[in-house]
PDB file of all heavy atoms in Angstrom:
ATOM      1  N   MET J   1     221.512-152.253  60.981  1.00 73.00           N
ATOM      2  CA  MET J   1     220.142-152.139  61.481  1.00 73.00           C
ATOM      3  C   MET J   1     219.565-150.789  61.089  1.00 73.00           C
ATOM      4  O   MET J   1     220.232-149.757  61.177  1.00 73.00           O
ATOM      5  CB  MET J   1     220.118-152.309  62.997  1.00 73.00           C
ATOM      6  CG  MET J   1     220.578-153.682  63.482  1.00 73.00           C
ATOM      7  SD  MET J   1     220.681-153.798  65.271  1.00 73.00           S
ATOM      8  CE  MET J   1     218.948-153.693  65.702  1.00 73.00           C
ATOM      9  N   GLY J   2     218.303-150.777  60.656  1.00 92.00           N
ATOM     10  CA  GLY J   2     217.661-149.543  60.233  1.00 92.00           C
ATOM     11  C   GLY J   2     217.263-148.666  61.405  1.00 92.00           C
ATOM     12  O   GLY J   2     217.161-149.116  62.554  1.00 92.00           O
ATOM     13  N   ASN J   3     217.026-147.397  61.115  1.00 97.00           N
ATOM     14  CA  ASN J   3     216.675-146.426  62.134  1.00 97.00           C
ATOM     15  C   ASN J   3     215.165-146.195  62.217  1.00 97.00           C
ATOM     16  O   ASN J   3     214.409-146.577  61.316  1.00 97.00           O
ATOM     17  CB  ASN J   3     217.396-145.106  61.853  1.00 97.00           C
ATOM     18  CG  ASN J   3     218.891-145.230  62.050  1.00 97.00           C
ATOM     19  OD1 ASN J   3     219.353-145.874  62.990  1.00 97.00           O
ATOM     20  ND2 ASN J   3     219.661-144.633  61.144  1.00 97.00           N
ATOM     21  N   VAL J   4     214.756-145.541  63.309  1.00 98.00           N
ATOM     22  CA  VAL J   4     213.352-145.236  63.571  1.00 98.00           C
ATOM     23  C   VAL J   4     213.148-143.733  63.402  1.00 98.00           C
ATOM     24  O   VAL J   4     213.920-142.931  63.927  1.00 98.00           O
ATOM     25  CB  VAL J   4     212.950-145.662  64.999  1.00 98.00           C
ATOM     26  CG1 VAL J   4     211.486-145.300  65.274  1.00 98.00           C
ATOM     27  CG2 VAL J   4     213.190-147.151  65.206  1.00 98.00           C
ATOM     28  N   LEU J   5     212.102-143.353  62.676  1.00 98.00           N
ATOM     29  CA  LEU J   5     211.778-141.939  62.488  1.00 98.00           C
ATOM     30  C   LEU J   5     210.438-141.612  63.128  1.00 98.00           C
ATOM     31  O   LEU J   5     209.420-142.245  62.833  1.00 98.00           O
ATOM     32  CB  LEU J   5     211.717-141.597  60.997  1.00 98.00           C
ATOM     33  CG  LEU J   5     211.253-140.171  60.658  1.00 98.00           C
ATOM     34  CD1 LEU J   5     212.268-139.142  61.157  1.00 98.00           C
ATOM     35  CD2 LEU J   5     211.002-140.020  59.165  1.00 98.00           C
ATOM     36  N   MET J   6     210.431-140.590  64.000  1.00 98.00           N
ATOM     37  CA  MET J   6     209.195-140.024  64.526  1.00 98.00           C
ATOM     38  C   MET J   6     208.936-138.713  63.788  1.00 98.00           C
ATOM     39  O   MET J   6     209.887-137.968  63.519  1.00 98.00           O
ATOM     40  CB  MET J   6     209.288-139.760  66.023  1.00 98.00           C
ATOM     41  CG  MET J   6     209.396-141.019  66.870  1.00 98.00           C
ATOM     42  SD  MET J   6     211.093-141.518  67.216  1.00 98.00           S
ATOM     43  CE  MET J   6     211.556-140.311  68.439  1.00 98.00           C
ATOM     44  N   VAL J   7     207.686-138.444  63.478  1.00 97.00           N
ATOM     45  CA  VAL J   7     207.351-137.278  62.664  1.00 97.00           C
ATOM     46  C   VAL J   7     206.423-136.347  63.441  1.00 97.00           C
ATOM     47  O   VAL J   7     205.334-136.750  63.869  1.00 97.00           O
ATOM     48  CB  VAL J   7     206.695-137.698  61.338  1.00 97.00           C
ATOM     49  CG1 VAL J   7     206.319-136.465  60.516  1.00 97.00           C
ATOM     50  CG2 VAL J   7     207.645-138.595  60.541  1.00 97.00           C
ATOM     51  N   ALA J   8     206.858-135.099  63.618  1.00 95.00           N
ATOM     52  CA  ALA J   8     206.024-134.066  64.248  1.00 95.00           C
ATOM     53  C   ALA J   8     205.222-133.347  63.172  1.00 95.00           C
ATOM     54  O   ALA J   8     205.648-133.257  62.022  1.00 95.00           O
ATOM     55  CB  ALA J   8     206.899-133.077  65.008  1.00 95.00           C
ATOM     56  N   ASN J   9     204.092-132.809  63.554  1.00 93.00           N
ATOM     57  CA  ASN J   9     203.232-132.090  62.607  1.00 93.00           C
ATOM     58  C   ASN J   9     203.335-130.576  62.739  1.00 93.00           C
ATOM     59  O   ASN J   9     202.791-129.851  61.907  1.00 93.00           O
ATOM     60  CB  ASN J   9     201.766-132.497  62.799  1.00 93.00           C
ATOM     61  CG  ASN J   9     201.548-133.975  62.511  1.00 93.00           C
ATOM     62  OD1 ASN J   9     202.407-134.648  61.960  1.00 93.00           O
ATOM     63  ND2 ASN J   9     200.388-134.479  62.904  1.00 93.00           N
ATOM     64  N   TYR J  10     203.998-130.101  63.816  1.00 90.00           N
ATOM     65  CA  TYR J  10     204.106-128.674  64.072  1.00 90.00           C
ATOM     66  C   TYR J  10     205.518-128.357  64.546  1.00 90.00           C
ATOM     67  O   TYR J  10     206.351-129.244  64.733  1.00 90.00           O
ATOM     68  CB  TYR J  10     203.093-128.229  65.139  1.00 90.00           C
ATOM     69  CG  TYR J  10     201.654-128.475  64.750  1.00 90.00           C
ATOM     70  CD1 TYR J  10     200.982-129.618  65.168  1.00 90.00           C
ATOM     71  CD2 TYR J  10     200.972-127.567  63.949  1.00 90.00           C
ATOM     72  CE1 TYR J  10     199.655-129.845  64.806  1.00 90.00           C
ATOM     73  CE2 TYR J  10     199.654-127.786  63.587  1.00 90.00           C
ATOM     74  CZ  TYR J  10     199.005-128.923  64.009  1.00 90.00           C
ATOM     75  OH  TYR J  10     197.708-129.151  63.645  1.00 90.00           O
ATOM     76  N   GLU J  11     205.780-127.068  64.778  1.00 88.00           N
ATOM     77  CA  GLU J  11     207.067-126.669  65.335  1.00 88.00           C
ATOM     78  C   GLU J  11     207.205-127.227  66.744  1.00 88.00           C
ATOM     79  O   GLU J  11     206.210-127.515  67.410  1.00 88.00           O
ATOM     80  CB  GLU J  11     207.204-125.142  65.326  1.00 88.00           C
ATOM     81  CG  GLU J  11     206.211-124.392  66.177  1.00 88.00           C
ATOM     82  CD  GLU J  11     204.932-124.036  65.433  1.00 88.00           C
ATOM     83  OE1 GLU J  11     204.608-124.724  64.433  1.00 88.00           O
ATOM     84  OE2 GLU J  11     204.251-123.077  65.851  1.00 88.00           O
ATOM     85  N   PRO J  12     208.445-127.386  67.245  1.00 83.00           N
ATOM     86  CA  PRO J  12     208.647-128.100  68.516  1.00 83.00           C
ATOM     87  C   PRO J  12     208.105-127.409  69.751  1.00 83.00           C
ATOM     88  O   PRO J  12     207.887-128.060  70.777  1.00 83.00           O
ATOM     89  CB  PRO J  12     210.181-128.237  68.595  1.00 83.00           C
ATOM     90  CG  PRO J  12     210.722-127.212  67.674  1.00 83.00           C
ATOM     91  CD  PRO J  12     209.716-127.050  66.581  1.00 83.00           C
ATOM     92  N   ASP J  13     207.882-126.093  69.703  1.00 78.00           N
ATOM     93  CA  ASP J  13     207.426-125.389  70.898  1.00 78.00           C
ATOM     94  C   ASP J  13     205.953-124.998  70.835  1.00 78.00           C
ATOM     95  O   ASP J  13     205.515-124.057  71.489  1.00 78.00           O
ATOM     96  CB  ASP J  13     208.281-124.139  71.135  1.00 78.00           C
ATOM     97  CG  ASP J  13     208.446-123.285  69.877  1.00 78.00           C
ATOM     98  OD1 ASP J  13     207.889-123.653  68.827  1.00 78.00           O
ATOM     99  OD2 ASP J  13     209.163-122.262  69.956  1.00 78.00           O
ATOM    100  N   VAL J  14     205.145-125.755  70.063  1.00 72.00           N
ATOM    101  CA  VAL J  14     203.735-125.410  69.904  1.00 72.00           C
ATOM    102  C   VAL J  14     202.932-125.662  71.183  1.00 72.00           C
ATOM    103  O   VAL J  14     201.939-125.005  71.449  1.00 72.00           O
ATOM    104  CB  VAL J  14     203.115-126.179  68.705  1.00 72.00           C
ATOM    105  CG1 VAL J  14     202.998-127.663  69.012  1.00 72.00           C
ATOM    106  CG2 VAL J  14     201.756-125.605  68.331  1.00 72.00           C
ATOM    107  N   GLY J  15     203.368-126.641  71.998  1.00 64.00           N
ATOM    108  CA  GLY J  15     202.674-126.919  73.264  1.00 64.00           C
ATOM    109  C   GLY J  15     201.400-127.708  73.071  1.00 64.00           C
ATOM    110  O   GLY J  15     201.256-128.502  72.145  1.00 64.00           O
ATOM    111  N   TYR J  16     200.443-127.501  73.984  1.00 64.00           N
ATOM    112  CA  TYR J  16     199.146-128.196  73.989  1.00 64.00           C
ATOM    113  C   TYR J  16     199.345-129.716  73.965  1.00 64.00           C
ATOM    114  O   TYR J  16     200.201-130.240  74.667  1.00 64.00           O
ATOM    115  CB  TYR J  16     198.257-127.704  72.850  1.00 64.00           C
ATOM    116  CG  TYR J  16     197.783-126.277  73.064  1.00 64.00           C
ATOM    117  CD1 TYR J  16     198.396-125.223  72.396  1.00 64.00           C
ATOM    118  CD2 TYR J  16     196.771-125.992  73.963  1.00 64.00           C
ATOM    119  CE1 TYR J  16     197.985-123.906  72.626  1.00 64.00           C
ATOM    120  CE2 TYR J  16     196.349-124.689  74.195  1.00 64.00           C
ATOM    121  CZ  TYR J  16     196.965-123.654  73.522  1.00 64.00           C
ATOM    122  OH  TYR J  16     196.569-122.371  73.758  1.00 64.00           O
ATOM    123  N   ALA J  17     198.579-130.434  73.151  1.00 73.00           N
ATOM    124  CA  ALA J  17     198.622-131.895  73.178  1.00 73.00           C
ATOM    125  C   ALA J  17     199.983-132.452  72.773  1.00 73.00           C
ATOM    126  O   ALA J  17     200.319-133.587  73.112  1.00 73.00           O
ATOM    127  CB  ALA J  17     197.545-132.462  72.261  1.00 73.00           C
ATOM    128  N   TRP J  18     200.784-131.643  72.064  1.00 76.00           N
ATOM    129  CA  TRP J  18     202.089-132.151  71.632  1.00 76.00           C
ATOM    130  C   TRP J  18     203.040-132.345  72.795  1.00 76.00           C
ATOM    131  O   TRP J  18     204.003-133.121  72.705  1.00 76.00           O
ATOM    132  CB  TRP J  18     202.670-131.254  70.543  1.00 76.00           C
ATOM    133  CG  TRP J  18     201.918-131.493  69.265  1.00 76.00           C
ATOM    134  CD1 TRP J  18     200.807-130.829  68.820  1.00 76.00           C
ATOM    135  CD2 TRP J  18     202.154-132.537  68.317  1.00 76.00           C
ATOM    136  NE1 TRP J  18     200.358-131.388  67.645  1.00 76.00           N
ATOM    137  CE2 TRP J  18     201.155-132.430  67.319  1.00 76.00           C
ATOM    138  CE3 TRP J  18     203.111-133.538  68.214  1.00 76.00           C
ATOM    139  CZ2 TRP J  18     201.092-133.292  66.226  1.00 76.00           C
ATOM    140  CZ3 TRP J  18     203.051-134.398  67.126  1.00 76.00           C
ATOM    141  CH2 TRP J  18     202.056-134.277  66.159  1.00 76.00           C
ATOM    142  N   ASN J  19     202.816-131.671  73.902  1.00 84.00           N
ATOM    143  CA  ASN J  19     203.607-131.949  75.100  1.00 84.00           C
ATOM    144  C   ASN J  19     203.354-133.364  75.595  1.00 84.00           C
ATOM    145  O   ASN J  19     204.239-134.006  76.171  1.00 84.00           O
ATOM    146  CB  ASN J  19     203.279-130.948  76.208  1.00 84.00           C
ATOM    147  CG  ASN J  19     203.788-129.558  75.900  1.00 84.00           C
ATOM    148  OD1 ASN J  19     204.714-129.384  75.103  1.00 84.00           O
ATOM    149  ND2 ASN J  19     203.181-128.553  76.520  1.00 84.00           N
ATOM    150  N   PHE J  20     202.142-133.845  75.382  1.00 89.00           N
ATOM    151  CA  PHE J  20     201.796-135.225  75.735  1.00 89.00           C
ATOM    152  C   PHE J  20     202.352-136.206  74.699  1.00 89.00           C
ATOM    153  O   PHE J  20     202.954-137.225  75.049  1.00 89.00           O
ATOM    154  CB  PHE J  20     200.275-135.362  75.837  1.00 89.00           C
ATOM    155  CG  PHE J  20     199.784-136.769  75.972  1.00 89.00           C
ATOM    156  CD1 PHE J  20     199.926-137.466  77.161  1.00 89.00           C
ATOM    157  CD2 PHE J  20     199.172-137.417  74.909  1.00 89.00           C
ATOM    158  CE1 PHE J  20     199.465-138.770  77.292  1.00 89.00           C
ATOM    159  CE2 PHE J  20     198.708-138.712  75.023  1.00 89.00           C
ATOM    160  CZ  PHE J  20     198.856-139.400  76.227  1.00 89.00           C
ATOM    161  N   ILE J  21     202.184-135.887  73.431  1.00 92.00           N
ATOM    162  CA  ILE J  21     202.585-136.790  72.352  1.00 92.00           C
ATOM    163  C   ILE J  21     204.087-137.055  72.363  1.00 92.00           C
ATOM    164  O   ILE J  21     204.536-138.166  72.055  1.00 92.00           O
ATOM    165  CB  ILE J  21     202.116-136.219  70.994  1.00 92.00           C
ATOM    166  CG1 ILE J  21     200.586-136.316  70.907  1.00 92.00           C
ATOM    167  CG2 ILE J  21     202.776-136.930  69.818  1.00 92.00           C
ATOM    168  CD1 ILE J  21     199.970-135.535  69.772  1.00 92.00           C
ATOM    169  N   GLN J  22     204.878-136.049  72.734  1.00 94.00           N
ATOM    170  CA  GLN J  22     206.322-136.250  72.704  1.00 94.00           C
ATOM    171  C   GLN J  22     206.781-137.310  73.711  1.00 94.00           C
ATOM    172  O   GLN J  22     207.878-137.870  73.586  1.00 94.00           O
ATOM    173  CB  GLN J  22     207.050-134.931  72.947  1.00 94.00           C
ATOM    174  CG  GLN J  22     206.894-134.349  74.317  1.00 94.00           C
ATOM    175  CD  GLN J  22     207.444-132.934  74.422  1.00 94.00           C
ATOM    176  OE1 GLN J  22     207.773-132.308  73.414  1.00 94.00           O
ATOM    177  NE2 GLN J  22     207.564-132.410  75.631  1.00 94.00           N
ATOM    178  N   GLN J  23     205.927-137.647  74.680  1.00 95.00           N
ATOM    179  CA  GLN J  23     206.283-138.709  75.611  1.00 95.00           C
ATOM    180  C   GLN J  23     206.360-140.071  74.919  1.00 95.00           C
ATOM    181  O   GLN J  23     207.139-140.937  75.324  1.00 95.00           O
ATOM    182  CB  GLN J  23     205.271-138.754  76.757  1.00 95.00           C
ATOM    183  CG  GLN J  23     205.272-137.492  77.616  1.00 95.00           C
ATOM    184  CD  GLN J  23     204.238-137.539  78.722  1.00 95.00           C
ATOM    185  OE1 GLN J  23     204.403-138.244  79.714  1.00 95.00           O
ATOM    186  NE2 GLN J  23     203.156-136.793  78.556  1.00 95.00           N
ATOM    187  N   PHE J  24     205.568-140.259  73.865  1.00 97.00           N
ATOM    188  CA  PHE J  24     205.654-141.500  73.095  1.00 97.00           C
ATOM    189  C   PHE J  24     206.995-141.578  72.361  1.00 97.00           C
ATOM    190  O   PHE J  24     207.574-142.659  72.222  1.00 97.00           O
ATOM    191  CB  PHE J  24     204.503-141.592  72.088  1.00 97.00           C
ATOM    192  CG  PHE J  24     203.142-141.704  72.727  1.00 97.00           C
ATOM    193  CD1 PHE J  24     202.289-140.617  72.786  1.00 97.00           C
ATOM    194  CD2 PHE J  24     202.712-142.905  73.273  1.00 97.00           C
ATOM    195  CE1 PHE J  24     201.038-140.717  73.376  1.00 97.00           C
ATOM    196  CE2 PHE J  24     201.458-143.025  73.867  1.00 97.00           C
ATOM    197  CZ  PHE J  24     200.627-141.922  73.920  1.00 97.00           C
ATOM    198  N   TRP J  25     207.496-140.436  71.899  1.00 97.00           N
ATOM    199  CA  TRP J  25     208.798-140.413  71.227  1.00 97.00           C
ATOM    200  C   TRP J  25     209.902-140.823  72.195  1.00 97.00           C
ATOM    201  O   TRP J  25     210.831-141.544  71.819  1.00 97.00           O
ATOM    202  CB  TRP J  25     209.078-139.012  70.672  1.00 97.00           C
ATOM    203  CG  TRP J  25     208.067-138.519  69.692  1.00 97.00           C
ATOM    204  CD1 TRP J  25     207.211-139.273  68.937  1.00 97.00           C
ATOM    205  CD2 TRP J  25     207.784-137.153  69.350  1.00 97.00           C
ATOM    206  NE1 TRP J  25     206.419-138.467  68.155  1.00 97.00           N
ATOM    207  CE2 TRP J  25     206.750-137.162  68.392  1.00 97.00           C
ATOM    208  CE3 TRP J  25     208.307-135.938  69.770  1.00 97.00           C
ATOM    209  CZ2 TRP J  25     206.238-135.993  67.838  1.00 97.00           C
ATOM    210  CZ3 TRP J  25     207.798-134.761  69.223  1.00 97.00           C
ATOM    211  CH2 TRP J  25     206.779-134.798  68.268  1.00 97.00           C
ATOM    212  N   VAL J  26     209.781-140.378  73.441  1.00 96.00           N
ATOM    213  CA  VAL J  26     210.791-140.731  74.440  1.00 96.00           C
ATOM    214  C   VAL J  26     210.771-142.236  74.715  1.00 96.00           C
ATOM    215  O   VAL J  26     211.823-142.869  74.874  1.00 96.00           O
ATOM    216  CB  VAL J  26     210.575-139.926  75.731  1.00 96.00           C
ATOM    217  CG1 VAL J  26     211.503-140.415  76.847  1.00 96.00           C
ATOM    218  CG2 VAL J  26     210.797-138.440  75.469  1.00 96.00           C
ATOM    219  N   VAL J  27     209.577-142.830  74.753  1.00 97.00           N
ATOM    220  CA  VAL J  27     209.469-144.280  74.945  1.00 97.00           C
ATOM    221  C   VAL J  27     210.204-145.012  73.810  1.00 97.00           C
ATOM    222  O   VAL J  27     210.956-145.971  74.047  1.00 97.00           O
ATOM    223  CB  VAL J  27     207.994-144.726  75.012  1.00 97.00           C
ATOM    224  CG1 VAL J  27     207.877-146.245  74.947  1.00 97.00           C
ATOM    225  CG2 VAL J  27     207.347-144.211  76.284  1.00 97.00           C
ATOM    226  N   LEU J  28     209.999-144.561  72.578  1.00 97.00           N
ATOM    227  CA  LEU J  28     210.681-145.188  71.446  1.00 97.00           C
ATOM    228  C   LEU J  28     212.190-144.994  71.541  1.00 97.00           C
ATOM    229  O   LEU J  28     212.966-145.909  71.214  1.00 97.00           O
ATOM    230  CB  LEU J  28     210.157-144.613  70.130  1.00 97.00           C
ATOM    231  CG  LEU J  28     208.725-145.017  69.754  1.00 97.00           C
ATOM    232  CD1 LEU J  28     208.294-144.318  68.468  1.00 97.00           C
ATOM    233  CD2 LEU J  28     208.609-146.529  69.585  1.00 97.00           C
ATOM    234  N   ALA J  29     212.622-143.816  71.975  1.00 97.00           N
ATOM    235  CA  ALA J  29     214.058-143.562  72.116  1.00 97.00           C
ATOM    236  C   ALA J  29     214.679-144.487  73.156  1.00 97.00           C
ATOM    237  O   ALA J  29     215.817-144.941  73.000  1.00 97.00           O
ATOM    238  CB  ALA J  29     214.297-142.105  72.490  1.00 97.00           C
ATOM    239  N   ASN J  30     213.943-144.776  74.217  1.00 96.00           N
ATOM    240  CA  ASN J  30     214.437-145.699  75.238  1.00 96.00           C
ATOM    241  C   ASN J  30     214.418-147.140  74.742  1.00 96.00           C
ATOM    242  O   ASN J  30     215.268-147.950  75.121  1.00 96.00           O
ATOM    243  CB  ASN J  30     213.600-145.574  76.510  1.00 96.00           C
ATOM    244  CG  ASN J  30     213.791-144.248  77.203  1.00 96.00           C
ATOM    245  OD1 ASN J  30     214.829-143.615  77.089  1.00 96.00           O
ATOM    246  ND2 ASN J  30     212.774-143.796  77.933  1.00 96.00           N
ATOM    247  N   LYS J  31     213.455-147.438  73.885  1.00 95.00           N
ATOM    248  CA  LYS J  31     213.310-148.798  73.355  1.00 95.00           C
ATOM    249  C   LYS J  31     214.367-149.090  72.284  1.00 95.00           C
ATOM    250  O   LYS J  31     214.854-150.220  72.169  1.00 95.00           O
ATOM    251  CB  LYS J  31     211.898-148.964  72.784  1.00 95.00           C
ATOM    252  CG  LYS J  31     211.479-150.380  72.416  1.00 95.00           C
ATOM    253  CD  LYS J  31     210.034-150.378  71.941  1.00 95.00           C
ATOM    254  CE  LYS J  31     209.568-151.756  71.499  1.00 95.00           C
ATOM    255  NZ  LYS J  31     209.353-152.660  72.631  1.00 95.00           N
ATOM    256  N   PHE J  32     214.713-148.045  71.514  1.00 95.00           N
ATOM    257  CA  PHE J  32     215.691-148.200  70.432  1.00 95.00           C
ATOM    258  C   PHE J  32     216.782-147.134  70.574  1.00 95.00           C
ATOM    259  O   PHE J  32     216.864-146.201  69.768  1.00 95.00           O
ATOM    260  CB  PHE J  32     215.001-148.079  69.073  1.00 95.00           C
ATOM    261  CG  PHE J  32     213.811-148.983  68.902  1.00 95.00           C
ATOM    262  CD1 PHE J  32     212.527-148.464  68.847  1.00 95.00           C
ATOM    263  CD2 PHE J  32     213.970-150.353  68.824  1.00 95.00           C
ATOM    264  CE1 PHE J  32     211.424-149.293  68.695  1.00 95.00           C
ATOM    265  CE2 PHE J  32     212.880-151.194  68.685  1.00 95.00           C
ATOM    266  CZ  PHE J  32     211.605-150.662  68.618  1.00 95.00           C
ATOM    267  N   PRO J  33     217.630-147.237  71.583  1.00 96.00           N
ATOM    268  CA  PRO J  33     218.623-146.180  71.863  1.00 96.00           C
ATOM    269  C   PRO J  33     219.609-145.970  70.710  1.00 96.00           C
ATOM    270  O   PRO J  33     220.077-146.934  70.097  1.00 96.00           O
ATOM    271  CB  PRO J  33     219.328-146.698  73.123  1.00 96.00           C
ATOM    272  CG  PRO J  33     219.081-148.172  73.152  1.00 96.00           C
ATOM    273  CD  PRO J  33     217.733-148.369  72.531  1.00 96.00           C
ATOM    274  N   GLY J  34     219.867-144.692  70.438  1.00 95.00           N
ATOM    275  CA  GLY J  34     220.834-144.332  69.416  1.00 95.00           C
ATOM    276  C   GLY J  34     220.351-144.464  67.989  1.00 95.00           C
ATOM    277  O   GLY J  34     221.102-144.183  67.049  1.00 95.00           O
ATOM    278  N   ARG J  35     219.076-144.835  67.803  1.00 96.00           N
ATOM    279  CA  ARG J  35     218.581-145.093  66.447  1.00 96.00           C
ATOM    280  C   ARG J  35     217.345-144.282  66.100  1.00 96.00           C
ATOM    281  O   ARG J  35     216.733-144.504  65.054  1.00 96.00           O
ATOM    282  CB  ARG J  35     218.281-146.591  66.298  1.00 96.00           C
ATOM    283  CG  ARG J  35     219.523-147.477  66.454  1.00 96.00           C
ATOM    284  CD  ARG J  35     219.144-148.920  66.652  1.00 96.00           C
ATOM    285  NE  ARG J  35     218.318-149.399  65.560  1.00 96.00           N
ATOM    286  CZ  ARG J  35     217.602-150.518  65.620  1.00 96.00           C
ATOM    287  NH1 ARG J  35     217.574-151.227  66.736  1.00 96.00           N
ATOM    288  NH2 ARG J  35     216.889-150.908  64.590  1.00 96.00           N
ATOM    289  N   CYS J  36     216.980-143.341  66.972  1.00 97.00           N
ATOM    290  CA  CYS J  36     215.738-142.597  66.759  1.00 97.00           C
ATOM    291  C   CYS J  36     216.000-141.194  66.222  1.00 97.00           C
ATOM    292  O   CYS J  36     216.816-140.442  66.767  1.00 97.00           O
ATOM    293  CB  CYS J  36     214.935-142.520  68.056  1.00 97.00           C
ATOM    294  SG  CYS J  36     214.175-144.100  68.515  1.00 97.00           S
ATOM    295  N   HIS J  37     215.280-140.854  65.168  1.00 98.00           N
ATOM    296  CA  HIS J  37     215.328-139.540  64.549  1.00 98.00           C
ATOM    297  C   HIS J  37     213.943-138.901  64.667  1.00 98.00           C
ATOM    298  O   HIS J  37     212.932-139.596  64.670  1.00 98.00           O
ATOM    299  CB  HIS J  37     215.713-139.651  63.077  1.00 98.00           C
ATOM    300  CG  HIS J  37     217.087-140.210  62.844  1.00 98.00           C
ATOM    301  ND1 HIS J  37     218.127-139.453  62.366  1.00 98.00           N
ATOM    302  CD2 HIS J  37     217.590-141.462  63.038  1.00 98.00           C
ATOM    303  CE1 HIS J  37     219.207-140.204  62.262  1.00 98.00           C
ATOM    304  NE2 HIS J  37     218.910-141.426  62.670  1.00 98.00           N
ATOM    305  N   LEU J  38     213.915-137.571  64.736  1.00 97.00           N
ATOM    306  CA  LEU J  38     212.658-136.825  64.837  1.00 97.00           C
ATOM    307  C   LEU J  38     212.666-135.700  63.815  1.00 97.00           C
ATOM    308  O   LEU J  38     213.588-134.879  63.805  1.00 97.00           O
ATOM    309  CB  LEU J  38     212.490-136.268  66.254  1.00 97.00           C
ATOM    310  CG  LEU J  38     211.316-135.319  66.514  1.00 97.00           C
ATOM    311  CD1 LEU J  38     209.984-135.977  66.194  1.00 97.00           C
ATOM    312  CD2 LEU J  38     211.345-134.840  67.969  1.00 97.00           C
ATOM    313  N   ALA J  39     211.650-135.666  62.962  1.00 97.00           N
ATOM    314  CA  ALA J  39     211.541-134.642  61.920  1.00 97.00           C
ATOM    315  C   ALA J  39     210.476-133.624  62.288  1.00 97.00           C
ATOM    316  O   ALA J  39     209.307-133.978  62.457  1.00 97.00           O
ATOM    317  CB  ALA J  39     211.215-135.287  60.576  1.00 97.00           C
TER     318      ALA J  39
END
């Protein structure tokens, strides 16, 4: 089975709206456990 990649546009500690956006990544990680990568 193939893996899922989430892509960030900034460094991980930039804050602001990215604190909100990372919640979508967590939803995907829960939906596809063990198969999610983040760049």
Side-chain angles (χ1 to χ4, degrees):
M1 297 175 68
N3 292 320
V4 178
L5 174 66
M6 293 92 75
V7 179
N9 297 348
Y10 299 96
E11 63 271 24
D13 49 1
V14 70
Y16 291 101
W18 287 91
N19 290 338
F20 171 74
I21 290 168
Q22 67 190 11
Q23 296 178 74
F24 294 103
W25 301 338
V26 172
V27 169
L28 289 177
N30 292 333
K31 191 177 177 73
F32 308 110
R35 297 165 57 196
C36 288
H37 297 250
L38 173 59

